[in-house]
Amino acid sequence: MTKDTTQVTPYNSDSSKKSQVEDMFDNIAPKYDLLNHVLSMKVDVLWRNILVKWMKQDNPKEVLDVATGTGDLAIAVEKGTDAKVVGLDLSQQMLNVGVIKIKKLNLDGKISMQKGDAENLPFEDNRFDAVSVAFGVRNFENLTKGLAELRRVVKENKSVYILEFSKVEGFLAPFYMFYFKNILPAIGRLVSKDNRAYTYLPDSVNVFPYGEKMKQILIDTGFKNVEYKKLSLGIATIYKATK
């Protein structure tokens, strides 16, 4: 039986997972972009572009990017679809980095950033033409509640796009897991100075549903059509869930 993801938290403290996730991202925000690109060898850029290309088929005019972090996906969505984008995240420090990036790109008229909770979105029903989340649903305190909120704010017959880590299967799995559980956390600790953040990453991926299990959760949440694409031998997966 899959372990409940709420049992995996960034720090060993009595505070809620949501509070711990916010603290973790506040802590690593200054080094987050550097580490993200180094540890993934920039393949994360390719993954985001695949998501945007898929979303572009919907011709969205306004997109919500949940768990936007420093805004990498929000920027990719704006550039790829020319939609207006609202980026929302729990971590103010991550948002601060994102606002600087967006201003440097002269996109502050097209992308707005705001602090908020994915499980209690401050938007009306059926507001957005598309909703995206990159590497964020794994951090939800209540996965079902968070997914239901994403569904609530997207328009009827429009889609939610979720990019999330999954698990490599086959003969490469042991080699990847060694990197993921040993080398990646060591580099993360060294650069970010946060001893737990990059240990939490493989721990949380290890218990998070993916593939058919994640598809079923999305269907159970009320989405009527769910598709997914495995990326880079299954390191990550994009899910498209239509309301």
Side-chain angles (χ1 to χ4, degrees):
M1 187 174 176
T2 302
K3 186 179 174 184
D4 189 331
T5 56
T6 60
Q7 294 176 18
V8 177
T9 55
Y11 308 110
N12 295 319
S13 77
D14 294 331
S15 57
S16 68
K17 177 176 180 177
K18 193 173 296 181
S19 176
Q20 291 183 52
V21 165
E22 181 178 357
D23 289 345
M24 177 185 73
F25 282 111
D26 279 346
N27 290 342
I28 66 176
K31 301 290 186 182
Y32 179 80
D33 282 342
L34 170 67
L35 275 166
N36 221 17
H37 298 321
V38 168
L39 294 172
S40 72
M41 293 171 280
K42 285 204 168 181
V43 75
D44 62 309
V45 176
L46 172 65
W47 295 340
R48 288 186 185 89
N49 289 339
I50 292 170
L51 185 155
V52 172
K53 190 174 179 182
W54 204 1
M55 181 190 289
K56 190 177 181 181
Q57 297 172 12
D58 293 347
N59 193 29
K61 298 292 183 268
E62 187 178 27
V63 177
L64 172 64
D65 185 42
V66 173
T68 195
T70 63
D72 276 353
L73 182 54
I75 292 165
V77 166
E78 193 285 326
K79 287 183 173 180
T81 67
D82 201 35
K84 282 203 164 189
V85 183
V86 179
L88 179 137
D89 201 275
L90 264 181
S91 167
Q92 187 61 53
Q93 296 304 317
M94 294 283 278
L95 290 168
N96 292 346
V97 174
V99 166
I100 292 168
K101 282 162 62 174
I102 288 162
K103 283 183 177 175
K104 282 182 179 176
L105 293 167
N106 294 315
L107 292 175
D108 40 331
K110 296 295 297 281
I111 302 173
S112 62
M113 303 283 267
Q114 69 181 77
K115 183 171 164 50
D117 179 2
E119 295 169 43
N120 296 282
L121 292 172
F123 307 107
E124 65 271 23
D125 297 357
N126 306 304
R127 159 84 180 266
F128 296 96
D129 301 305
V131 176
S132 60
V133 192
F135 310 114
V137 295
R138 194 183 71 259
N139 299 322
F140 288 178
E141 187 168 79
N142 184 322
L143 177 61
T144 303
K145 186 178 179 185
L147 294 176
E149 275 291 271
L150 304 183
R151 183 182 178 278
R152 180 181 67 78
V153 300
V154 77
K155 292 177 180 176
E156 291 286 342
N157 299 311
K158 298 298 184 179
S159 301
V160 172
Y161 293 84
I162 296 167
L163 170 58
E164 190 52 87
F165 287 114
S166 43
K167 290 184 186 176
V168 176
E169 296 172 340
F171 74 98
L172 286 175
F175 302 101
Y176 179 73
M177 285 310 298
F178 179 81
Y179 168 76
F180 204 47
K181 290 185 75 72
N182 297 283
I183 297 172
L184 182 149
I187 297 171
R189 281 194 296 271
L190 185 68
V191 177
S192 73
K193 309 300 183 189
D194 188 308
N195 288 330
R196 178 64 182 144
Y198 288 87
T199 305
Y200 164 73
L201 173 59
D203 287 353
S204 60
V205 171
N206 192 46
V207 300
F208 196 75
Y210 67 97
E212 287 297 311
K213 285 186 179 179
M214 184 62 174
K215 178 179 177 178
Q216 189 59 53
I217 290 169
L218 287 161
I219 291 169
D220 291 345
T221 306
F223 290 99
K224 64 185 179 187
N225 187 30
V226 181
E227 308 168 68
Y228 64 90
K229 296 178 180 180
K230 291 183 180 181
L231 307 173
S232 304
L233 302 173
I235 296 172
T237 302
I238 302 173
Y239 304 87
K240 178 184 179 181
T242 303
K243 182 171 176 178

